Amino acid sequence: VHNRRSFANPMIIICVPSPLQHNKAPDLSYIIASARQISGHLKKGQLVILQSTTYPGTTEEDVLPILEESGLVAGVDFQLAFSPERINPGDTQWPPEKIPRVVGGLTRRSTQEAAKFYRHLLDAPVHEMETMQREYDEAGLRCSLANDEINVGREEVSKLIRPDRLTHRPRFQVF
């Protein structure tokens, strides 16, 4: 972080593996274990960002209740956000600091604080989503773009996908 004085409270980023299980669902055990450890040390005013690759809803359905076991209330006492992991290890064309980020928070304030953090850290665009309901990974964004399943404009979705991964161009379908 370039200017540590801009952030009054330490941020916590959960960035752990979520390997696929035999049934092709992500193994959330590392995410859950991390949330349990954080819950025991969470302080008022902190920002927690889930940055692991996972399916939509993990932040609100799995991480949020565990963090609130601390006695603190998300969106009031601490902020909670999601930003899908977008790193492709070994990719020299797109090093981590150059990859655009998508950020969605439990509240508007959560989204803004997470975006501020990433803007200080990265030399790439940071796109703020209204809520964590936009908790999509690259494949989900591409499918949504192709199928018009999310209530986000085509141009906005196009910006959220890494340029080197955009293989589908928006078009209208006639039935």
Side-chain angles (χ1 to χ4, degrees), residues 95-126:
E97 67 277 4
K98 299 281 187 192
I99 298 172
R101 280 264 167 212
V102 180
V103 177
L106 183 66
T107 63
R108 182 75 189 127
R109 181 175 169 205
S110 297
T111 301
Q112 290 171 334
E113 286 189 21
K116 179 182 176 183
F117 167 73
Y118 284 114
R119 285 185 180 115
H120 275 78
L121 186 66
L122 306 174
D123 185 26
V126 176

PDB file of all heavy atoms in Angstrom, residues 95-126:
ATOM      1  N   PRO A  95       0.483  -9.139 -15.107  1.00  0.00           N
ATOM      2  CA  PRO A  95       0.921  -9.329 -13.727  1.00  0.00           C
ATOM      3  C   PRO A  95      -0.190  -8.867 -12.776  1.00  0.00           C
ATOM      4  O   PRO A  95      -1.049  -8.066 -13.163  1.00  0.00           O
ATOM      5  CB  PRO A  95       2.161  -8.442 -13.618  1.00  0.00           C
ATOM      6  CG  PRO A  95       2.008  -7.426 -14.699  1.00  0.00           C
ATOM      7  CD  PRO A  95       1.231  -8.083 -15.795  1.00  0.00           C
ATOM      8  N   PRO A  96      -0.221  -9.365 -11.543  1.00  0.00           N
ATOM      9  CA  PRO A  96      -1.310  -9.066 -10.612  1.00  0.00           C
ATOM     10  C   PRO A  96      -1.658  -7.586 -10.466  1.00  0.00           C
ATOM     11  O   PRO A  96      -2.823  -7.225 -10.392  1.00  0.00           O
ATOM     12  CB  PRO A  96      -0.805  -9.645  -9.285  1.00  0.00           C
ATOM     13  CG  PRO A  96       0.122 -10.732  -9.690  1.00  0.00           C
ATOM     14  CD  PRO A  96       0.769 -10.262 -10.965  1.00  0.00           C
ATOM     15  N   GLU A  97      -0.650  -6.722 -10.454  1.00  0.00           N
ATOM     16  CA  GLU A  97      -0.927  -5.293 -10.238  1.00  0.00           C
ATOM     17  C   GLU A  97      -1.549  -4.608 -11.455  1.00  0.00           C
ATOM     18  O   GLU A  97      -2.006  -3.474 -11.362  1.00  0.00           O
ATOM     19  CB  GLU A  97       0.341  -4.552  -9.800  1.00  0.00           C
ATOM     20  CG  GLU A  97       1.428  -4.463 -10.841  1.00  0.00           C
ATOM     21  CD  GLU A  97       2.324  -5.698 -10.934  1.00  0.00           C
ATOM     22  OE1 GLU A  97       2.083  -6.694 -10.232  1.00  0.00           O
ATOM     23  OE2 GLU A  97       3.285  -5.643 -11.724  1.00  0.00           O
ATOM     24  N   LYS A  98      -1.593  -5.288 -12.587  1.00  0.00           N
ATOM     25  CA  LYS A  98      -2.164  -4.711 -13.822  1.00  0.00           C
ATOM     26  C   LYS A  98      -3.547  -5.270 -14.161  1.00  0.00           C
ATOM     27  O   LYS A  98      -4.167  -4.845 -15.123  1.00  0.00           O
ATOM     28  CB  LYS A  98      -1.234  -4.987 -15.014  1.00  0.00           C
ATOM     29  CG  LYS A  98       0.141  -4.397 -14.871  1.00  0.00           C
ATOM     30  CD  LYS A  98       0.127  -2.931 -15.178  1.00  0.00           C
ATOM     31  CE  LYS A  98       1.556  -2.397 -15.190  1.00  0.00           C
ATOM     32  NZ  LYS A  98       1.594  -0.965 -15.203  1.00  0.00           N
ATOM     33  N   ILE A  99      -4.029  -6.228 -13.375  1.00  0.00           N
ATOM     34  CA  ILE A  99      -5.305  -6.881 -13.671  1.00  0.00           C
ATOM     35  C   ILE A  99      -6.455  -6.069 -13.073  1.00  0.00           C
ATOM     36  O   ILE A  99      -6.466  -5.786 -11.877  1.00  0.00           O
ATOM     37  CB  ILE A  99      -5.324  -8.316 -13.114  1.00  0.00           C
ATOM     38  CG1 ILE A  99      -4.224  -9.149 -13.784  1.00  0.00           C
ATOM     39  CG2 ILE A  99      -6.696  -8.961 -13.309  1.00  0.00           C
ATOM     40  CD1 ILE A  99      -4.032 -10.512 -13.181  1.00  0.00           C
ATOM     41  N   PRO A 100      -7.434  -5.690 -13.894  1.00  0.00           N
ATOM     42  CA  PRO A 100      -8.601  -4.966 -13.370  1.00  0.00           C
ATOM     43  C   PRO A 100      -9.306  -5.785 -12.288  1.00  0.00           C
ATOM     44  O   PRO A 100      -9.314  -7.015 -12.327  1.00  0.00           O
ATOM     45  CB  PRO A 100      -9.508  -4.809 -14.595  1.00  0.00           C
ATOM     46  CG  PRO A 100      -8.595  -4.934 -15.763  1.00  0.00           C
ATOM     47  CD  PRO A 100      -7.517  -5.897 -15.337  1.00  0.00           C
ATOM     48  N   ARG A 101      -9.895  -5.094 -11.335  1.00  0.00           N
ATOM     49  CA  ARG A 101     -10.581  -5.728 -10.207  1.00  0.00           C
ATOM     50  C   ARG A 101     -12.068  -5.392 -10.236  1.00  0.00           C
ATOM     51  O   ARG A 101     -12.458  -4.295 -10.608  1.00  0.00           O
ATOM     52  CB  ARG A 101     -10.022  -5.211  -8.882  1.00  0.00           C
ATOM     53  CG  ARG A 101      -8.750  -5.877  -8.519  1.00  0.00           C
ATOM     54  CD  ARG A 101      -9.064  -7.001  -7.575  1.00  0.00           C
ATOM     55  NE  ARG A 101      -7.904  -7.836  -7.450  1.00  0.00           N
ATOM     56  CZ  ARG A 101      -7.968  -9.124  -7.240  1.00  0.00           C
ATOM     57  NH1 ARG A 101      -9.117  -9.717  -7.120  1.00  0.00           N
ATOM     58  NH2 ARG A 101      -6.890  -9.831  -7.135  1.00  0.00           N
ATOM     59  N   VAL A 102     -12.853  -6.322  -9.769  1.00  0.00           N
ATOM     60  CA  VAL A 102     -14.283  -6.144  -9.538  1.00  0.00           C
ATOM     61  C   VAL A 102     -14.479  -6.238  -8.042  1.00  0.00           C
ATOM     62  O   VAL A 102     -13.977  -7.165  -7.409  1.00  0.00           O
ATOM     63  CB  VAL A 102     -15.101  -7.246 -10.233  1.00  0.00           C
ATOM     64  CG1 VAL A 102     -16.585  -7.045  -9.983  1.00  0.00           C
ATOM     65  CG2 VAL A 102     -14.800  -7.291 -11.708  1.00  0.00           C
ATOM     66  N   VAL A 103     -15.193  -5.281  -7.457  1.00  0.00           N
ATOM     67  CA  VAL A 103     -15.402  -5.251  -6.012  1.00  0.00           C
ATOM     68  C   VAL A 103     -16.884  -5.035  -5.719  1.00  0.00           C
ATOM     69  O   VAL A 103     -17.514  -4.165  -6.303  1.00  0.00           O
ATOM     70  CB  VAL A 103     -14.588  -4.108  -5.362  1.00  0.00           C
ATOM     71  CG1 VAL A 103     -14.848  -4.029  -3.878  1.00  0.00           C
ATOM     72  CG2 VAL A 103     -13.112  -4.273  -5.624  1.00  0.00           C
ATOM     73  N   GLY A 104     -17.413  -5.847  -4.810  1.00  0.00           N
ATOM     74  CA  GLY A 104     -18.782  -5.664  -4.339  1.00  0.00           C
ATOM     75  C   GLY A 104     -18.801  -5.835  -2.843  1.00  0.00           C
ATOM     76  O   GLY A 104     -18.122  -6.712  -2.307  1.00  0.00           O
ATOM     77  N   GLY A 105     -19.545  -4.990  -2.148  1.00  0.00           N
ATOM     78  CA  GLY A 105     -19.582  -5.058  -0.699  1.00  0.00           C
ATOM     79  C   GLY A 105     -20.966  -5.308  -0.155  1.00  0.00           C
ATOM     80  O   GLY A 105     -21.966  -5.164  -0.866  1.00  0.00           O
ATOM     81  N   LEU A 106     -21.011  -5.659   1.107  1.00  0.00           N
ATOM     82  CA  LEU A 106     -22.279  -5.872   1.788  1.00  0.00           C
ATOM     83  C   LEU A 106     -23.086  -4.576   1.794  1.00  0.00           C
ATOM     84  O   LEU A 106     -24.300  -4.594   1.656  1.00  0.00           O
ATOM     85  CB  LEU A 106     -22.018  -6.354   3.218  1.00  0.00           C
ATOM     86  CG  LEU A 106     -23.241  -6.699   4.048  1.00  0.00           C
ATOM     87  CD1 LEU A 106     -23.954  -7.903   3.457  1.00  0.00           C
ATOM     88  CD2 LEU A 106     -22.843  -6.983   5.484  1.00  0.00           C
ATOM     89  N   THR A 107     -22.390  -3.453   1.947  1.00  0.00           N
ATOM     90  CA  THR A 107     -23.014  -2.124   1.921  1.00  0.00           C
ATOM     91  C   THR A 107     -22.243  -1.250   0.941  1.00  0.00           C
ATOM     92  O   THR A 107     -21.155  -1.620   0.489  1.00  0.00           O
ATOM     93  CB  THR A 107     -22.960  -1.459   3.310  1.00  0.00           C
ATOM     94  OG1 THR A 107     -21.584  -1.255   3.664  1.00  0.00           O
ATOM     95  CG2 THR A 107     -23.638  -2.308   4.385  1.00  0.00           C
ATOM     96  N   ARG A 108     -22.785  -0.111   0.630  1.00  0.00           N
ATOM     97  CA  ARG A 108     -22.091   0.836  -0.257  1.00  0.00           C
ATOM     98  C   ARG A 108     -20.745   1.221   0.349  1.00  0.00           C
ATOM     99  O   ARG A 108     -19.738   1.304  -0.348  1.00  0.00           O
ATOM    100  CB  ARG A 108     -22.973   2.075  -0.476  1.00  0.00           C
ATOM    101  CG  ARG A 108     -22.371   3.066  -1.413  1.00  0.00           C
ATOM    102  CD  ARG A 108     -22.488   2.575  -2.857  1.00  0.00           C
ATOM    103  NE  ARG A 108     -21.725   3.444  -3.725  1.00  0.00           N
ATOM    104  CZ  ARG A 108     -20.811   3.016  -4.580  1.00  0.00           C
ATOM    105  NH1 ARG A 108     -20.581   1.742  -4.727  1.00  0.00           N
ATOM    106  NH2 ARG A 108     -20.144   3.863  -5.323  1.00  0.00           N
ATOM    107  N   ARG A 109     -20.731   1.448   1.650  1.00  0.00           N
ATOM    108  CA  ARG A 109     -19.477   1.810   2.332  1.00  0.00           C
ATOM    109  C   ARG A 109     -18.441   0.690   2.209  1.00  0.00           C
ATOM    110  O   ARG A 109     -17.255   0.945   1.976  1.00  0.00           O
ATOM    111  CB  ARG A 109     -19.750   2.130   3.796  1.00  0.00           C
ATOM    112  CG  ARG A 109     -18.505   2.533   4.544  1.00  0.00           C
ATOM    113  CD  ARG A 109     -18.804   2.964   5.944  1.00  0.00           C
ATOM    114  NE  ARG A 109     -17.570   3.083   6.696  1.00  0.00           N
ATOM    115  CZ  ARG A 109     -17.486   2.970   8.001  1.00  0.00           C
ATOM    116  NH1 ARG A 109     -18.566   2.772   8.726  1.00  0.00           N
ATOM    117  NH2 ARG A 109     -16.323   3.073   8.606  1.00  0.00           N
ATOM    118  N   SER A 110     -18.885  -0.570   2.358  1.00  0.00           N
ATOM    119  CA  SER A 110     -17.971  -1.707   2.210  1.00  0.00           C
ATOM    120  C   SER A 110     -17.348  -1.718   0.825  1.00  0.00           C
ATOM    121  O   SER A 110     -16.137  -1.913   0.671  1.00  0.00           O
ATOM    122  CB  SER A 110     -18.716  -3.035   2.423  1.00  0.00           C
ATOM    123  OG  SER A 110     -19.223  -3.151   3.720  1.00  0.00           O
ATOM    124  N   THR A 111     -18.181  -1.499  -0.191  1.00  0.00           N
ATOM    125  CA  THR A 111     -17.692  -1.471  -1.574  1.00  0.00           C
ATOM    126  C   THR A 111     -16.677  -0.352  -1.755  1.00  0.00           C
ATOM    127  O   THR A 111     -15.607  -0.555  -2.332  1.00  0.00           O
ATOM    128  CB  THR A 111     -18.870  -1.275  -2.552  1.00  0.00           C
ATOM    129  OG1 THR A 111     -19.786  -2.354  -2.380  1.00  0.00           O
ATOM    130  CG2 THR A 111     -18.387  -1.235  -3.998  1.00  0.00           C
ATOM    131  N   GLN A 112     -16.990   0.831  -1.254  1.00  0.00           N
ATOM    132  CA  GLN A 112     -16.102   1.989  -1.420  1.00  0.00           C
ATOM    133  C   GLN A 112     -14.767   1.775  -0.716  1.00  0.00           C
ATOM    134  O   GLN A 112     -13.713   2.121  -1.250  1.00  0.00           O
ATOM    135  CB  GLN A 112     -16.785   3.254  -0.903  1.00  0.00           C
ATOM    136  CG  GLN A 112     -17.934   3.693  -1.780  1.00  0.00           C
ATOM    137  CD  GLN A 112     -18.756   4.821  -1.158  1.00  0.00           C
ATOM    138  OE1 GLN A 112     -18.814   4.985   0.052  1.00  0.00           O
ATOM    139  NE2 GLN A 112     -19.404   5.594  -2.019  1.00  0.00           N
ATOM    140  N   GLU A 113     -14.795   1.219   0.486  1.00  0.00           N
ATOM    141  CA  GLU A 113     -13.538   0.987   1.222  1.00  0.00           C
ATOM    142  C   GLU A 113     -12.673  -0.062   0.514  1.00  0.00           C
ATOM    143  O   GLU A 113     -11.455   0.094   0.424  1.00  0.00           O
ATOM    144  CB  GLU A 113     -13.828   0.568   2.664  1.00  0.00           C
ATOM    145  CG  GLU A 113     -14.299   1.735   3.519  1.00  0.00           C
ATOM    146  CD  GLU A 113     -14.387   1.390   4.995  1.00  0.00           C
ATOM    147  OE1 GLU A 113     -13.734   0.423   5.442  1.00  0.00           O
ATOM    148  OE2 GLU A 113     -15.109   2.117   5.708  1.00  0.00           O
ATOM    149  N   ALA A 114     -13.295  -1.126   0.018  1.00  0.00           N
ATOM    150  CA  ALA A 114     -12.531  -2.156  -0.699  1.00  0.00           C
ATOM    151  C   ALA A 114     -11.951  -1.577  -1.986  1.00  0.00           C
ATOM    152  O   ALA A 114     -10.788  -1.821  -2.317  1.00  0.00           O
ATOM    153  CB  ALA A 114     -13.419  -3.359  -0.994  1.00  0.00           C
ATOM    154  N   ALA A 115     -12.738  -0.787  -2.697  1.00  0.00           N
ATOM    155  CA  ALA A 115     -12.256  -0.177  -3.946  1.00  0.00           C
ATOM    156  C   ALA A 115     -11.097   0.778  -3.657  1.00  0.00           C
ATOM    157  O   ALA A 115     -10.105   0.793  -4.396  1.00  0.00           O
ATOM    158  CB  ALA A 115     -13.399   0.554  -4.642  1.00  0.00           C
ATOM    159  N   LYS A 116     -11.204   1.539  -2.594  1.00  0.00           N
ATOM    160  CA  LYS A 116     -10.122   2.464  -2.217  1.00  0.00           C
ATOM    161  C   LYS A 116      -8.831   1.694  -1.951  1.00  0.00           C
ATOM    162  O   LYS A 116      -7.753   2.085  -2.411  1.00  0.00           O
ATOM    163  CB  LYS A 116     -10.522   3.258  -0.971  1.00  0.00           C
ATOM    164  CG  LYS A 116      -9.452   4.214  -0.487  1.00  0.00           C
ATOM    165  CD  LYS A 116      -9.902   4.938   0.777  1.00  0.00           C
ATOM    166  CE  LYS A 116      -8.807   5.828   1.323  1.00  0.00           C
ATOM    167  NZ  LYS A 116      -9.194   6.476   2.590  1.00  0.00           N
ATOM    168  N   PHE A 117      -8.941   0.586  -1.245  1.00  0.00           N
ATOM    169  CA  PHE A 117      -7.775  -0.246  -0.959  1.00  0.00           C
ATOM    170  C   PHE A 117      -7.123  -0.731  -2.247  1.00  0.00           C
ATOM    171  O   PHE A 117      -5.917  -0.577  -2.443  1.00  0.00           O
ATOM    172  CB  PHE A 117      -8.177  -1.434  -0.087  1.00  0.00           C
ATOM    173  CG  PHE A 117      -7.114  -2.492  -0.001  1.00  0.00           C
ATOM    174  CD1 PHE A 117      -5.966  -2.273   0.735  1.00  0.00           C
ATOM    175  CD2 PHE A 117      -7.263  -3.702  -0.664  1.00  0.00           C
ATOM    176  CE1 PHE A 117      -4.960  -3.246   0.814  1.00  0.00           C
ATOM    177  CE2 PHE A 117      -6.279  -4.674  -0.599  1.00  0.00           C
ATOM    178  CZ  PHE A 117      -5.128  -4.446   0.147  1.00  0.00           C
ATOM    179  N   TYR A 118      -7.915  -1.310  -3.147  1.00  0.00           N
ATOM    180  CA  TYR A 118      -7.352  -1.843  -4.390  1.00  0.00           C
ATOM    181  C   TYR A 118      -6.800  -0.732  -5.285  1.00  0.00           C
ATOM    182  O   TYR A 118      -5.805  -0.933  -5.970  1.00  0.00           O
ATOM    183  CB  TYR A 118      -8.377  -2.691  -5.148  1.00  0.00           C
ATOM    184  CG  TYR A 118      -8.563  -4.056  -4.538  1.00  0.00           C
ATOM    185  CD1 TYR A 118      -9.769  -4.417  -3.948  1.00  0.00           C
ATOM    186  CD2 TYR A 118      -7.534  -4.992  -4.546  1.00  0.00           C
ATOM    187  CE1 TYR A 118      -9.943  -5.673  -3.388  1.00  0.00           C
ATOM    188  CE2 TYR A 118      -7.694  -6.238  -3.982  1.00  0.00           C
ATOM    189  CZ  TYR A 118      -8.902  -6.579  -3.403  1.00  0.00           C
ATOM    190  OH  TYR A 118      -9.057  -7.823  -2.843  1.00  0.00           O
ATOM    191  N   ARG A 119      -7.414   0.428  -5.282  1.00  0.00           N
ATOM    192  CA  ARG A 119      -6.902   1.536  -6.102  1.00  0.00           C
ATOM    193  C   ARG A 119      -5.532   2.005  -5.607  1.00  0.00           C
ATOM    194  O   ARG A 119      -4.708   2.440  -6.405  1.00  0.00           O
ATOM    195  CB  ARG A 119      -7.903   2.687  -6.121  1.00  0.00           C
ATOM    196  CG  ARG A 119      -9.091   2.393  -7.013  1.00  0.00           C
ATOM    197  CD  ARG A 119     -10.050   3.564  -7.142  1.00  0.00           C
ATOM    198  NE  ARG A 119     -11.145   3.178  -7.998  1.00  0.00           N
ATOM    199  CZ  ARG A 119     -12.412   3.072  -7.603  1.00  0.00           C
ATOM    200  NH1 ARG A 119     -12.758   3.369  -6.367  1.00  0.00           N
ATOM    201  NH2 ARG A 119     -13.338   2.695  -8.464  1.00  0.00           N
ATOM    202  N   HIS A 120      -5.290   1.931  -4.305  1.00  0.00           N
ATOM    203  CA  HIS A 120      -3.974   2.275  -3.765  1.00  0.00           C
ATOM    204  C   HIS A 120      -2.944   1.202  -4.083  1.00  0.00           C
ATOM    205  O   HIS A 120      -1.762   1.488  -4.223  1.00  0.00           O
ATOM    206  CB  HIS A 120      -4.045   2.465  -2.238  1.00  0.00           C
ATOM    207  CG  HIS A 120      -4.454   3.825  -1.832  1.00  0.00           C
ATOM    208  ND1 HIS A 120      -5.766   4.257  -1.871  1.00  0.00           N
ATOM    209  CD2 HIS A 120      -3.727   4.866  -1.385  1.00  0.00           C
ATOM    210  CE1 HIS A 120      -5.824   5.498  -1.452  1.00  0.00           C
ATOM    211  NE2 HIS A 120      -4.609   5.902  -1.152  1.00  0.00           N
ATOM    212  N   LEU A 121      -3.405  -0.019  -4.187  1.00  0.00           N
ATOM    213  CA  LEU A 121      -2.511  -1.159  -4.351  1.00  0.00           C
ATOM    214  C   LEU A 121      -2.160  -1.447  -5.811  1.00  0.00           C
ATOM    215  O   LEU A 121      -1.050  -1.850  -6.111  1.00  0.00           O
ATOM    216  CB  LEU A 121      -3.180  -2.401  -3.735  1.00  0.00           C
ATOM    217  CG  LEU A 121      -2.378  -3.679  -3.661  1.00  0.00           C
ATOM    218  CD1 LEU A 121      -1.205  -3.512  -2.704  1.00  0.00           C
ATOM    219  CD2 LEU A 121      -3.277  -4.813  -3.190  1.00  0.00           C
ATOM    220  N   LEU A 122      -3.105  -1.232  -6.718  1.00  0.00           N
ATOM    221  CA  LEU A 122      -2.962  -1.662  -8.104  1.00  0.00           C
ATOM    222  C   LEU A 122      -2.776  -0.509  -9.075  1.00  0.00           C
ATOM    223  O   LEU A 122      -3.137   0.623  -8.788  1.00  0.00           O
ATOM    224  CB  LEU A 122      -4.204  -2.456  -8.539  1.00  0.00           C
ATOM    225  CG  LEU A 122      -4.593  -3.634  -7.667  1.00  0.00           C
ATOM    226  CD1 LEU A 122      -5.914  -4.212  -8.143  1.00  0.00           C
ATOM    227  CD2 LEU A 122      -3.510  -4.694  -7.674  1.00  0.00           C
ATOM    228  N   ASP A 123      -2.256  -0.848 -10.219  1.00  0.00           N
ATOM    229  CA  ASP A 123      -2.149   0.088 -11.339  1.00  0.00           C
ATOM    230  C   ASP A 123      -3.100  -0.411 -12.432  1.00  0.00           C
ATOM    231  O   ASP A 123      -2.692  -0.712 -13.543  1.00  0.00           O
ATOM    232  CB  ASP A 123      -0.704   0.132 -11.841  1.00  0.00           C
ATOM    233  CG  ASP A 123      -0.502   1.176 -12.924  1.00  0.00           C
ATOM    234  OD1 ASP A 123      -1.275   2.156 -12.956  1.00  0.00           O
ATOM    235  OD2 ASP A 123       0.416   1.000 -13.744  1.00  0.00           O
ATOM    236  N   ALA A 124      -4.388  -0.563 -12.051  1.00  0.00           N
ATOM    237  CA  ALA A 124      -5.401  -1.108 -12.956  1.00  0.00           C
ATOM    238  C   ALA A 124      -6.768  -0.572 -12.528  1.00  0.00           C
ATOM    239  O   ALA A 124      -6.937  -0.144 -11.380  1.00  0.00           O
ATOM    240  CB  ALA A 124      -5.393  -2.627 -12.886  1.00  0.00           C
ATOM    241  N   PRO A 125      -7.738  -0.607 -13.429  1.00  0.00           N
ATOM    242  CA  PRO A 125      -9.081  -0.148 -13.063  1.00  0.00           C
ATOM    243  C   PRO A 125      -9.698  -1.016 -11.969  1.00  0.00           C
ATOM    244  O   PRO A 125      -9.465  -2.223 -11.909  1.00  0.00           O
ATOM    245  CB  PRO A 125      -9.876  -0.291 -14.361  1.00  0.00           C
ATOM    246  CG  PRO A 125      -8.887  -0.447 -15.446  1.00  0.00           C
ATOM    247  CD  PRO A 125      -7.638  -1.008 -14.826  1.00  0.00           C
ATOM    248  N   VAL A 126     -10.479  -0.389 -11.107  1.00  0.00           N
ATOM    249  CA  VAL A 126     -11.241  -1.088 -10.078  1.00  0.00           C
ATOM    250  C   VAL A 126     -12.707  -0.725 -10.315  1.00  0.00           C
ATOM    251  O   VAL A 126     -13.070   0.439 -10.257  1.00  0.00           O
ATOM    252  CB  VAL A 126     -10.799  -0.674  -8.661  1.00  0.00           C
ATOM    253  CG1 VAL A 126     -11.668  -1.346  -7.604  1.00  0.00           C
ATOM    254  CG2 VAL A 126      -9.329  -1.000  -8.444  1.00  0.00           C
TER     255      VAL A 126
END
